[in-house]
Amino acid sequence: MINTTVASWLSICRIYAHPRVVGMLALGFSAGLPLLLILGTLSFWLREAGIDRATIGHLSWIGLAYGFKWMWSPLVDRLPLPLLTRLLGRRRAWLLLSQITIAIALVGMASTDPLENLSHMVFFALAVAFASATQDIALDAYRIEAVELRLQGAMAATYQGGYRLAMILASAGVLWIAASLDASPTDYDYQSWQIAYLIMAACMAIGIITTLIIQEPDVPINHLAAENERQASQMITRWNLNARLTRLLTWLYSAMIAPFQNFIVRHGYHAFLILTLIAVYRISDVVMGVMSNPFYVDMGYTKDEVATVSKVYGVIMTLLGAAVGGVLTARLGVIKTLFLGAVLSAATNLLFVWLSLRGHDIVGLIFTISADNLSAGIASSAFIAYLSGLTNSAYSATQYALFSSVMLLLPKFIAGFSGQFVDAYGYALFFMGTALLGLPVLILVWMVGRIEFKTPVSS
């Protein structure tokens, strides 16, 4: 019995050796690198430069670009890029364009001192955000189309592994580089941050090279999309418009209306409940994350200390969490792993309450960051697999962009007020509040689980 169980688990773990699954590690790295460079790490930089917490909180709204990417996802899904699409294919063309744009915008951020010109910094950060969101649209579509459903959990896990490695580099790595170049750790030094961000811009080469190496997914013509487009063309033709306008309206319907209509038709009134779960599932982590780095600064942790803890313990627990999340998703199913991830995400926020009461405590910091990264890895792997399973292959890029946009809109909006909340009530109450935000998520996961159980597979 024991041997059979071990063999079963080993068989599941072999999915990580699939070439497409392995390739997602580098692509996940490319997706994860920009995020903290315009959010968490940037907030550390701004706070050290003397920017007030309320302003830092408001600047986190830059991340709302990820929440509105559904608006241009139909273009990424259906619009060919001159020359690039013919040479690389639909997904790789958009990936390459967005990755190059990210690298250029990061150079712009590195060339700007926020203490002297905060508005220029915001402009370049917004450029990174929009290009990064575009990369996410194309990459999510590639990931969904590259392998069958049974490998999506493993794809999500390796994606998260690369994503989290990049986030560690974009946080701990940047802090370590800036600290090593800072002649006076107690004073603000722009040049150390400049060099660190230039190095991050160079690291985007990993994504660019990977995009040039990988193969475009071989996706057959989807009969559902073709049939929807044919019916739309017939209906629009009755309006007696000229041929060019008819083709344009047919394209707009197929690209911008049909993907959302398809989701509503497939799920009926359950679609609202599913979208509500998506909207709040990561709310605890997202709202808490904006103030984590200002918290470290205010608690007296140096860049070296935060970087070292994140780099060593954070990396280990992040990779472990992502891998465990992928295995649990394959073994226990998506809904059970989603529930576990939601519990862990809310519970680990309470560790920050405990840490805020202890003050400067390296051992406490190690334990808190390790537990937080482990829970985030498990939750993210399950959540990505769940979102991937909701998409229809006919509209993979647009539908996944809708889901991931909904996931960020409310949390990012609330997070914009986090600095004002901390100023008024302190860190302990703030972290406790973010943990309580996770309680409704547990109820929603349970309700969605009942829907999935009762709904026939054919529906």
Side-chain angles (χ1 to χ4, degrees):
M1 179 66 179
I2 295 177
N3 290 337
T4 302
T5 302
V6 172
S8 176
W9 280 99
L10 288 176
S11 176
I12 292 173
C13 290
R14 288 194 191 100
I15 59 179
Y16 288 106
H18 191 285
R20 294 276 195 181
V21 174
V22 174
M24 282 306 298
L25 191 67
L27 293 174
F29 179 91
S30 178
L33 190 68
L35 184 63
L36 288 183
L37 295 177
I38 58 172
L39 295 174
T41 303
L42 180 59
S43 69
F44 199 115
W45 182 358
L46 296 177
R47 187 58 177 159
E48 189 173 79
I51 307 298
D52 63 272
R53 284 187 295 240
T55 299
I56 293 173
H58 293 153
L59 288 179
S60 71
W61 283 333
I62 290 172
L64 284 174
Y66 295 91
F68 286 100
K69 63 185 178 183
W70 60 272
M71 297 179 68
W72 68 93
S73 62
L75 298 179
V76 179
D77 205 4
R78 303 291 295 273
L79 185 67
L81 294 173
L83 186 62
L84 283 179
T85 298
R86 183 168 59 85
L87 293 175
L88 301 176
R90 184 171 47 156
R91 304 309 183 196
R92 294 166 66 211
W94 279 98
L95 278 175
L96 184 64
L97 175 63
S98 59
Q99 289 161 350
I100 292 174
T101 304
I102 291 168
I104 293 172
L106 285 175
V107 172
M109 290 183 68
S111 304
T112 306
D113 185 349
L115 197 57
E116 296 182 358
N117 203 328
L118 185 59
S119 60
H120 282 195
M121 177 65 78
V122 172
F123 170 79
F124 287 118
L126 280 170
V128 172
F130 278 102
S132 177
T134 302
Q135 178 185 218
D136 287 351
I137 296 169
L139 184 52
D140 289 332
Y142 167 84
R143 175 176 51 78
I144 293 167
E145 295 169 353
V147 298
E148 61 271 28
L149 183 60
R150 74 178 185 87
L151 291 177
Q152 286 298 331
M155 289 285 277
T158 51
Y159 172 85
Q160 279 296 306
Y163 196 96
R164 293 288 173 171
L165 277 173
M167 291 182 73
I168 296 300
L169 177 63
S171 55
V174 169
L175 295 180
W176 180 80
I177 293 169
S180 66
L181 297 172
D182 194 348
S184 177
T186 58
D187 297 325
Y188 171 62
D189 180 16
Y190 160 63
Q191 287 189 336
S192 63
W193 287 101
Q194 180 184 42
I195 295 173
Y197 266 66
L198 286 174
I199 292 174
M200 294 302 106
C203 287
M204 282 302 299
I206 294 174
I208 294 172
I209 293 171
T210 303
T211 298
L212 294 173
I213 293 174
I214 61 174
Q215 296 296 315
E216 184 78 2
D218 184 18
V219 181
I221 296 175
N222 190 283
H223 297 292
L224 172 63
E227 178 62 19
N228 285 343
E229 189 165 337
R230 185 187 66 80
Q231 292 179 4
S233 179
Q234 288 180 346
M235 179 184 67
I236 295 171
T237 300
R238 297 173 190 158
W239 300 347
N240 296 321
L241 303 173
N242 63 62
R244 180 176 295 180
L245 185 56
T246 297
R247 287 195 298 270
L248 175 61
L249 291 176
T250 301
W251 185 89
L252 288 173
Y253 169 83
S254 301
M256 307 191 72
I257 298 176
F260 308 116
Q261 181 186 42
N262 171 262
F263 174 73
I264 299 297
V265 169
R266 281 192 295 128
H267 296 284
Y269 62 88
H270 292 148
F272 176 76
L273 181 61
I274 293 171
L275 289 175
T276 302
L277 171 61
I278 294 172
V280 300
Y281 185 75
R282 300 309 309 277
I283 193 167
S284 292
D285 283 348
V286 173
V287 175
M288 186 276 294
V290 173
M291 281 295 113
S292 60
N293 276 323
F295 168 71
Y296 299 145
V297 175
D298 292 342
M299 290 293 106
Y301 295 104
T302 66
K303 290 191 289 289
D304 268 331
E305 289 173 338
V306 176
T308 300
V309 173
S310 298
K311 186 176 180 180
V312 178
Y313 301 97
V315 166
I316 294 172
M317 300 308 287
T318 294
L319 294 178
L320 179 61
V324 169
V327 172
L328 289 177
T329 299
R331 183 71 177 178
L332 304 178
V334 174
I335 296 298
K336 289 182 180 179
T337 313
L338 270 180
F339 191 88
L340 175 62
V343 171
L344 293 176
S345 294
T348 51
N349 281 16
L350 295 176
L351 293 176
F352 284 89
V353 178
W354 168 75
L355 188 62
S356 69
L357 300 176
R358 295 182 65 85
H360 188 278
D361 180 0
I362 292 297
V363 175
L365 182 67
I366 292 172
F367 180 70
T368 300
I369 287 181
S370 298
D372 184 58
N373 286 4
L374 176 68
S375 65
I378 294 172
S380 295
S381 291
F383 195 46
I384 290 173
Y386 177 67
L387 297 184
S388 300
L390 290 175
T391 62
N392 187 306
S393 59
Y395 311 107
S396 54
T398 303
Q399 287 187 348
Y400 196 92
L402 169 66
F403 301 149
S404 54
S405 296
V406 170
M407 173 187 74
L408 291 172
L409 275 175
L410 181 62
K412 287 294 183 186
F413 177 75
I414 294 175
F417 300 102
S418 57
Q420 292 169 282
F421 189 97
V422 171
D423 285 342
Y425 302 104
Y427 282 112
L429 282 179
F430 169 72
F431 292 130
M432 187 175 296
T434 61
L436 293 175
L437 286 175
L439 294 180
V441 176
L442 302 179
I443 299 173
L444 287 169
V445 173
W446 175 76
M447 293 175 68
V448 168
R450 286 176 58 85
I451 292 173
E452 297 293 331
F453 178 77
K454 291 180 178 180
T455 304
V457 176
S458 60
S459 63

